[in-house]
Amino acid sequence: MRFDIITLFPELFLPFFRCGVVGRAFSGGLARAETAQLRDYCEGAHGADDRPFGGGSGMVLAAAPVLAAVRDMRKRNAGPVIYPTPRGEVFSDAVARDLAKLPGCIILCGRYRGVDERALEAEADREISLGDYVLSGGETAAMAVMDAVLRYVPGVLGNPLSAEEDSFGGGLLDAPCYTRPEVVEGRAAPAVLLSGDHAAIREWRQARAREMTAERRPDLLSPPQPPPSKMEGG
Ligand code: ADE
């Protein structure tokens, strides 16, 4: 899978590309990522950003360099252009799985007040929000999206069952986990986990996962139902 990231701050991605699971995905050749500096697509006296029409605070990323950068990325990346923004569809495990099936994606990182709407109308295929809060740029959202997506790229997790066992993989939050020592400040790890009885351990984990989900995220147990169609009922 190939990621091309358009950003004013390519340096933010350097440690992200090198560390942990994500780093191994790239160093192991299972995925690749490149950043493009938006300023390299500015022409003449025009910069990457300008004051918003209609006034108000903050600057707006100008359409021309965004369009030029996206179109250049499309030459090497067949995937959709994703624009992280608080107004997008809310990112989720389901969206991550969906994106992981693609050959790649291009992520356009906004800054300041956002991107000139006309560039988004012309080139953004999907807008994704991490949640109901405002980040100062799309870069941290891009990293979150890449991290969650890469976990579903075959071969990235050493054990392919890990993604399924993690929170949301089975539609539930993950059960709590423990490691040595057996007792920490008087708190003992659950005895069943030390029993060696794999069926009992599986059952315990499933029960804790259901309990945890019911307590903290009951919405995951009963996802919203679609509204009844007009044909149904009276
Ligand atoms: N950019 C700024 N805020 C964001 C958010 N909540 N999600 C995704 N991208 C963003």
Side-chain angles (χ1 to χ4, degrees), residues 83-89 91 110-112 128-142 145:
Y83 175 56
T85 164
R87 73 182 191 186
E89 71 180 295
F91 190 54
R111 278 272 153 179
Y112 317 125
I128 288 181
S129 167
L130 287 196
D132 291 342
Y133 45 85
V134 178
L135 301 167
S136 39
E139 287 80 4
T140 42
V145 169

Side-chain angles (χ1 to χ4, degrees), residues 15-152:
F16 174 71
F17 288 158
R18 284 205 204 107
C19 296
V21 169
V22 170
R24 281 199 302 279
F26 293 129
S27 65
L30 295 165
R32 60 179 299 187
E34 284 187 26
T35 52
Q37 169 55 265
L38 183 62
R39 290 195 199 286
D40 292 346
Y41 291 88
C42 295
E43 283 199 2
H46 299 288
D49 57 312
D50 211 333
R51 290 192 305 273
F53 282 146
S57 63
M59 300 292 270
V60 176
L61 291 181
V66 168
L67 290 171
V70 168
R71 287 168 184 164
D72 196 27
M73 296 304 111
R74 284 205 196 271
K75 291 182 203 153
R76 66 182 83 142
N77 193 320
V81 172
I82 295 175
Y83 175 56
T85 164
R87 73 182 191 186
E89 71 180 295
V90 178
F91 190 54
S92 65
D93 187 63
V95 176
R97 283 174 192 253
D98 211 29
L99 295 177
K101 294 180 198 141
L102 300 172
C105 60
I106 298 164
I107 308 183
L108 168 63
C109 300
R111 278 272 153 179
Y112 317 125
R113 276 184 81 158
V115 173
D116 187 308
E117 190 68 21
R118 294 161 297 181
L120 299 175
E121 281 167 14
E123 292 292 349
D125 298 308
R126 203 158 174 175
E127 298 193 351
I128 288 181
S129 167
L130 287 196
D132 291 342
Y133 45 85
V134 178
L135 301 167
S136 39
E139 287 80 4
T140 42
M143 289 183 220
V145 169
M146 278 190 281
D147 189 328
V149 169
L150 281 170
R151 296 172 66 78
Y152 285 114

Side-chain angles (χ1 to χ4, degrees), residues 22 29-30 47 80 123 154-155 164 167 187-189 192 211 213-214 219-220 225:
V22 170
L30 295 165
E123 292 292 349
E164 291 307 322
S167 288
R187 295 167 198 265
V192 64
E211 262 173 35
T213 309
D219 56 303
L220 293 175
Q225 302 299 310

Side-chain angles (χ1 to χ4, degrees), residues 170-196:
L172 299 175
L173 300 181
D174 201 2
C177 51
Y178 304 83
T179 186
R180 283 180 291 188
E182 286 177 25
V183 180
V184 174
E185 297 184 346
R187 295 167 198 265
V192 64
L193 298 179
L194 302 161
S195 68

